[in-house]
PDB file of all heavy atoms in Angstrom:
ATOM      1  N   PHE A 176     -17.668  11.426  17.212  1.00  0.00           N
ATOM      2  CA  PHE A 176     -18.386  12.527  17.839  1.00  0.00           C
ATOM      3  C   PHE A 176     -17.785  12.898  19.188  1.00  0.00           C
ATOM      4  O   PHE A 176     -17.213  12.059  19.880  1.00  0.00           O
ATOM      5  CB  PHE A 176     -19.859  12.143  18.029  1.00  0.00           C
ATOM      6  CG  PHE A 176     -20.624  12.032  16.749  1.00  0.00           C
ATOM      7  CD1 PHE A 176     -20.598  10.863  16.001  1.00  0.00           C
ATOM      8  CD2 PHE A 176     -21.373  13.102  16.282  1.00  0.00           C
ATOM      9  CE1 PHE A 176     -21.305  10.757  14.812  1.00  0.00           C
ATOM     10  CE2 PHE A 176     -22.081  13.006  15.095  1.00  0.00           C
ATOM     11  CZ  PHE A 176     -22.055  11.833  14.360  1.00  0.00           C
ATOM     12  N   ILE A 177     -17.928  14.175  19.537  1.00  0.00           N
ATOM     13  CA  ILE A 177     -17.567  14.664  20.861  1.00  0.00           C
ATOM     14  C   ILE A 177     -18.725  15.518  21.371  1.00  0.00           C
ATOM     15  O   ILE A 177     -19.512  16.045  20.580  1.00  0.00           O
ATOM     16  CB  ILE A 177     -16.268  15.496  20.853  1.00  0.00           C
ATOM     17  CG1 ILE A 177     -16.415  16.726  19.934  1.00  0.00           C
ATOM     18  CG2 ILE A 177     -15.079  14.650  20.450  1.00  0.00           C
ATOM     19  CD1 ILE A 177     -15.248  17.696  20.009  1.00  0.00           C
ATOM     20  N   ASN A 178     -18.827  15.655  22.670  1.00  0.00           N
ATOM     21  CA  ASN A 178     -19.867  16.502  23.247  1.00  0.00           C
ATOM     22  C   ASN A 178     -19.555  17.971  23.010  1.00  0.00           C
ATOM     23  O   ASN A 178     -18.404  18.400  23.078  1.00  0.00           O
ATOM     24  CB  ASN A 178     -20.006  16.238  24.739  1.00  0.00           C
ATOM     25  CG  ASN A 178     -20.563  14.863  25.043  1.00  0.00           C
ATOM     26  OD1 ASN A 178     -21.319  14.296  24.245  1.00  0.00           O
ATOM     27  ND2 ASN A 178     -20.193  14.308  26.181  1.00  0.00           N
ATOM     28  N   ASN A 179     -20.576  18.732  22.727  1.00  0.00           N
ATOM     29  CA  ASN A 179     -20.447  20.173  22.516  1.00  0.00           C
ATOM     30  C   ASN A 179     -20.424  20.850  23.886  1.00  0.00           C
ATOM     31  O   ASN A 179     -21.466  21.234  24.419  1.00  0.00           O
ATOM     32  CB  ASN A 179     -21.626  20.670  21.682  1.00  0.00           C
ATOM     33  CG  ASN A 179     -21.575  22.179  21.434  1.00  0.00           C
ATOM     34  OD1 ASN A 179     -20.586  22.835  21.737  1.00  0.00           O
ATOM     35  ND2 ASN A 179     -22.653  22.716  20.899  1.00  0.00           N
ATOM     36  N   GLU A 180     -19.238  20.992  24.453  1.00  0.00           N
ATOM     37  CA  GLU A 180     -19.156  21.514  25.816  1.00  0.00           C
ATOM     38  C   GLU A 180     -17.910  22.370  26.051  1.00  0.00           C
ATOM     39  O   GLU A 180     -17.265  22.287  27.087  1.00  0.00           O
ATOM     40  CB  GLU A 180     -19.184  20.348  26.820  1.00  0.00           C
ATOM     41  CG  GLU A 180     -18.142  19.272  26.560  1.00  0.00           C
ATOM     42  CD  GLU A 180     -18.289  18.081  27.489  1.00  0.00           C
ATOM     43  OE1 GLU A 180     -19.374  17.928  28.093  1.00  0.00           O
ATOM     44  OE2 GLU A 180     -17.325  17.295  27.598  1.00  0.00           O
ATOM     45  N   GLY A 181     -17.579  23.174  25.082  1.00  0.00           N
ATOM     46  CA  GLY A 181     -16.419  24.043  25.243  1.00  0.00           C
ATOM     47  C   GLY A 181     -16.448  25.167  24.235  1.00  0.00           C
ATOM     48  O   GLY A 181     -17.392  25.318  23.460  1.00  0.00           O
ATOM     49  N   SER A 182     -15.398  25.970  24.237  1.00  0.00           N
ATOM     50  CA  SER A 182     -15.308  27.064  23.275  1.00  0.00           C
ATOM     51  C   SER A 182     -15.068  26.519  21.866  1.00  0.00           C
ATOM     52  O   SER A 182     -14.693  25.350  21.685  1.00  0.00           O
ATOM     53  CB  SER A 182     -14.163  28.006  23.663  1.00  0.00           C
ATOM     54  OG  SER A 182     -12.903  27.352  23.493  1.00  0.00           O
ATOM     55  N   TYR A 183     -15.268  27.368  20.890  1.00  0.00           N
ATOM     56  CA  TYR A 183     -15.102  26.990  19.486  1.00  0.00           C
ATOM     57  C   TYR A 183     -13.717  26.405  19.219  1.00  0.00           C
ATOM     58  O   TYR A 183     -13.590  25.305  18.658  1.00  0.00           O
ATOM     59  CB  TYR A 183     -15.344  28.222  18.616  1.00  0.00           C
ATOM     60  CG  TYR A 183     -14.982  28.068  17.159  1.00  0.00           C
ATOM     61  CD1 TYR A 183     -15.867  27.500  16.254  1.00  0.00           C
ATOM     62  CD2 TYR A 183     -13.752  28.521  16.676  1.00  0.00           C
ATOM     63  CE1 TYR A 183     -15.546  27.375  14.911  1.00  0.00           C
ATOM     64  CE2 TYR A 183     -13.418  28.406  15.346  1.00  0.00           C
ATOM     65  CZ  TYR A 183     -14.323  27.831  14.465  1.00  0.00           C
ATOM     66  OH  TYR A 183     -13.975  27.706  13.137  1.00  0.00           O
ATOM     67  N   PHE A 184     -12.665  27.105  19.635  1.00  0.00           N
ATOM     68  CA  PHE A 184     -11.317  26.621  19.341  1.00  0.00           C
ATOM     69  C   PHE A 184     -10.956  25.394  20.180  1.00  0.00           C
ATOM     70  O   PHE A 184     -10.232  24.517  19.707  1.00  0.00           O
ATOM     71  CB  PHE A 184     -10.283  27.733  19.512  1.00  0.00           C
ATOM     72  CG  PHE A 184     -10.238  28.679  18.351  1.00  0.00           C
ATOM     73  CD1 PHE A 184     -10.639  29.994  18.486  1.00  0.00           C
ATOM     74  CD2 PHE A 184      -9.831  28.243  17.097  1.00  0.00           C
ATOM     75  CE1 PHE A 184     -10.616  30.860  17.405  1.00  0.00           C
ATOM     76  CE2 PHE A 184      -9.811  29.089  16.008  1.00  0.00           C
ATOM     77  CZ  PHE A 184     -10.208  30.411  16.163  1.00  0.00           C
ATOM     78  N   LYS A 185     -11.470  25.291  21.400  1.00  0.00           N
ATOM     79  CA  LYS A 185     -11.243  24.084  22.189  1.00  0.00           C
ATOM     80  C   LYS A 185     -11.837  22.877  21.469  1.00  0.00           C
ATOM     81  O   LYS A 185     -11.218  21.815  21.382  1.00  0.00           O
ATOM     82  CB  LYS A 185     -11.871  24.225  23.576  1.00  0.00           C
ATOM     83  CG  LYS A 185     -11.709  22.982  24.438  1.00  0.00           C
ATOM     84  CD  LYS A 185     -12.400  23.130  25.782  1.00  0.00           C
ATOM     85  CE  LYS A 185     -12.271  21.836  26.595  1.00  0.00           C
ATOM     86  NZ  LYS A 185     -12.959  21.952  27.911  1.00  0.00           N
ATOM     87  N   MET A 186     -13.038  23.032  20.946  1.00  0.00           N
ATOM     88  CA  MET A 186     -13.688  21.947  20.210  1.00  0.00           C
ATOM     89  C   MET A 186     -12.925  21.613  18.931  1.00  0.00           C
ATOM     90  O   MET A 186     -12.764  20.456  18.561  1.00  0.00           O
ATOM     91  CB  MET A 186     -15.131  22.336  19.863  1.00  0.00           C
ATOM     92  CG  MET A 186     -16.050  22.509  21.066  1.00  0.00           C
ATOM     93  SD  MET A 186     -16.407  20.961  21.947  1.00  0.00           S
ATOM     94  CE  MET A 186     -15.146  20.992  23.228  1.00  0.00           C
ATOM     95  N   LEU A 187     -12.426  22.651  18.266  1.00  0.00           N
ATOM     96  CA  LEU A 187     -11.708  22.440  17.015  1.00  0.00           C
ATOM     97  C   LEU A 187     -10.406  21.668  17.247  1.00  0.00           C
ATOM     98  O   LEU A 187     -10.089  20.728  16.504  1.00  0.00           O
ATOM     99  CB  LEU A 187     -11.416  23.796  16.362  1.00  0.00           C
ATOM    100  CG  LEU A 187     -11.221  23.819  14.840  1.00  0.00           C
ATOM    101  CD1 LEU A 187     -12.383  23.165  14.127  1.00  0.00           C
ATOM    102  CD2 LEU A 187     -11.055  25.258  14.355  1.00  0.00           C
ATOM    103  N   PHE A 188      -9.665  22.035  18.275  1.00  0.00           N
ATOM    104  CA  PHE A 188      -8.431  21.306  18.597  1.00  0.00           C
ATOM    105  C   PHE A 188      -8.739  19.846  18.942  1.00  0.00           C
ATOM    106  O   PHE A 188      -8.006  18.932  18.541  1.00  0.00           O
ATOM    107  CB  PHE A 188      -7.703  21.972  19.766  1.00  0.00           C
ATOM    108  CG  PHE A 188      -7.023  23.261  19.408  1.00  0.00           C
ATOM    109  CD1 PHE A 188      -7.230  24.409  20.169  1.00  0.00           C
ATOM    110  CD2 PHE A 188      -6.170  23.342  18.320  1.00  0.00           C
ATOM    111  CE1 PHE A 188      -6.604  25.601  19.842  1.00  0.00           C
ATOM    112  CE2 PHE A 188      -5.537  24.529  17.990  1.00  0.00           C
ATOM    113  CZ  PHE A 188      -5.754  25.665  18.754  1.00  0.00           C
ATOM    114  N   THR A 189      -9.821  19.605  19.663  1.00  0.00           N
ATOM    115  CA  THR A 189     -10.201  18.240  20.020  1.00  0.00           C
ATOM    116  C   THR A 189     -10.595  17.440  18.791  1.00  0.00           C
ATOM    117  O   THR A 189     -10.237  16.257  18.662  1.00  0.00           O
ATOM    118  CB  THR A 189     -11.365  18.257  21.035  1.00  0.00           C
ATOM    119  OG1 THR A 189     -10.985  19.015  22.184  1.00  0.00           O
ATOM    120  CG2 THR A 189     -11.726  16.847  21.472  1.00  0.00           C
ATOM    121  N   LEU A 190     -11.315  18.065  17.875  1.00  0.00           N
ATOM    122  CA  LEU A 190     -11.730  17.374  16.653  1.00  0.00           C
ATOM    123  C   LEU A 190     -10.527  16.974  15.799  1.00  0.00           C
ATOM    124  O   LEU A 190     -10.473  15.860  15.270  1.00  0.00           O
ATOM    125  CB  LEU A 190     -12.678  18.266  15.842  1.00  0.00           C
ATOM    126  CG  LEU A 190     -14.082  18.461  16.429  1.00  0.00           C
ATOM    127  CD1 LEU A 190     -14.841  19.529  15.657  1.00  0.00           C
ATOM    128  CD2 LEU A 190     -14.866  17.146  16.411  1.00  0.00           C
ATOM    129  N   PHE A 191      -9.548  17.863  15.667  1.00  0.00           N
ATOM    130  CA  PHE A 191      -8.369  17.528  14.873  1.00  0.00           C
ATOM    131  C   PHE A 191      -7.531  16.443  15.555  1.00  0.00           C
ATOM    132  O   PHE A 191      -6.928  15.606  14.879  1.00  0.00           O
ATOM    133  CB  PHE A 191      -7.536  18.777  14.600  1.00  0.00           C
ATOM    134  CG  PHE A 191      -7.960  19.522  13.370  1.00  0.00           C
ATOM    135  CD1 PHE A 191      -8.770  20.653  13.472  1.00  0.00           C
ATOM    136  CD2 PHE A 191      -7.577  19.099  12.115  1.00  0.00           C
ATOM    137  CE1 PHE A 191      -9.177  21.336  12.339  1.00  0.00           C
ATOM    138  CE2 PHE A 191      -7.988  19.773  10.970  1.00  0.00           C
ATOM    139  CZ  PHE A 191      -8.789  20.904  11.080  1.00  0.00           C
ATOM    140  N   SER A 192      -7.495  16.451  16.872  1.00  0.00           N
ATOM    141  CA  SER A 192      -6.786  15.386  17.593  1.00  0.00           C
ATOM    142  C   SER A 192      -7.458  14.041  17.345  1.00  0.00           C
ATOM    143  O   SER A 192      -6.794  13.025  17.097  1.00  0.00           O
ATOM    144  CB  SER A 192      -6.762  15.701  19.089  1.00  0.00           C
ATOM    145  OG  SER A 192      -6.123  14.662  19.807  1.00  0.00           O
ATOM    146  N   LEU A 193      -8.794  14.040  17.392  1.00  0.00           N
ATOM    147  CA  LEU A 193      -9.555  12.819  17.132  1.00  0.00           C
ATOM    148  C   LEU A 193      -9.364  12.364  15.686  1.00  0.00           C
ATOM    149  O   LEU A 193      -9.247  11.162  15.408  1.00  0.00           O
ATOM    150  CB  LEU A 193     -11.030  13.076  17.427  1.00  0.00           C
ATOM    151  CG  LEU A 193     -11.982  11.880  17.394  1.00  0.00           C
ATOM    152  CD1 LEU A 193     -11.520  10.785  18.344  1.00  0.00           C
ATOM    153  CD2 LEU A 193     -13.404  12.340  17.738  1.00  0.00           C
ATOM    154  N   ALA A 194      -9.296  13.316  14.771  1.00  0.00           N
ATOM    155  CA  ALA A 194      -9.054  12.981  13.361  1.00  0.00           C
ATOM    156  C   ALA A 194      -7.701  12.317  13.188  1.00  0.00           C
ATOM    157  O   ALA A 194      -7.558  11.357  12.420  1.00  0.00           O
ATOM    158  CB  ALA A 194      -9.139  14.240  12.505  1.00  0.00           C
ATOM    159  N   GLY A 195      -6.684  12.812  13.920  1.00  0.00           N
ATOM    160  CA  GLY A 195      -5.366  12.179  13.869  1.00  0.00           C
ATOM    161  C   GLY A 195      -5.428  10.737  14.317  1.00  0.00           C
ATOM    162  O   GLY A 195      -4.831   9.846  13.686  1.00  0.00           O
ATOM    163  N   ASP A 196      -6.168  10.478  15.406  1.00  0.00           N
ATOM    164  CA  ASP A 196      -6.327   9.101  15.892  1.00  0.00           C
ATOM    165  C   ASP A 196      -6.942   8.213  14.823  1.00  0.00           C
ATOM    166  O   ASP A 196      -6.524   7.060  14.634  1.00  0.00           O
ATOM    167  CB  ASP A 196      -7.224   9.074  17.138  1.00  0.00           C
ATOM    168  CG  ASP A 196      -6.595   9.754  18.341  1.00  0.00           C
ATOM    169  OD1 ASP A 196      -5.356   9.903  18.358  1.00  0.00           O
ATOM    170  OD2 ASP A 196      -7.350  10.133  19.259  1.00  0.00           O
ATOM    171  N   GLU A 197      -7.937   8.740  14.127  1.00  0.00           N
ATOM    172  CA  GLU A 197      -8.631   7.940  13.118  1.00  0.00           C
ATOM    173  C   GLU A 197      -7.785   7.709  11.874  1.00  0.00           C
ATOM    174  O   GLU A 197      -7.806   6.630  11.282  1.00  0.00           O
ATOM    175  CB  GLU A 197      -9.964   8.608  12.748  1.00  0.00           C
ATOM    176  CG  GLU A 197     -11.011   8.500  13.826  1.00  0.00           C
ATOM    177  CD  GLU A 197     -11.263   7.047  14.214  1.00  0.00           C
ATOM    178  OE1 GLU A 197     -11.839   6.309  13.405  1.00  0.00           O
ATOM    179  OE2 GLU A 197     -10.863   6.646  15.330  1.00  0.00           O
ATOM    180  N   HIS A 198      -7.004   8.707  11.479  1.00  0.00           N
ATOM    181  CA  HIS A 198      -6.088   8.494  10.353  1.00  0.00           C
ATOM    182  C   HIS A 198      -5.064   7.416  10.696  1.00  0.00           C
ATOM    183  O   HIS A 198      -4.730   6.567   9.851  1.00  0.00           O
ATOM    184  CB  HIS A 198      -5.371   9.811   9.998  1.00  0.00           C
ATOM    185  CG  HIS A 198      -6.157  10.701   9.108  1.00  0.00           C
ATOM    186  ND1 HIS A 198      -6.542  10.333   7.831  1.00  0.00           N
ATOM    187  CD2 HIS A 198      -6.631  11.975   9.306  1.00  0.00           C
ATOM    188  CE1 HIS A 198      -7.220  11.329   7.266  1.00  0.00           C
ATOM    189  NE2 HIS A 198      -7.294  12.323   8.143  1.00  0.00           N
TER     190      HIS A 198
END
Side-chain angles (χ1 to χ4, degrees):
F176 291 84
I177 60 172
N178 292 331
N179 179 9
E180 53 185 18
S182 68
Y183 170 84
F184 281 113
K185 178 183 177 181
M186 295 292 94
L187 205 53
F188 286 129
T189 303
L190 289 171
F191 272 100
S192 178
L193 188 56
D196 293 339
E197 288 304 290
H198 276 298

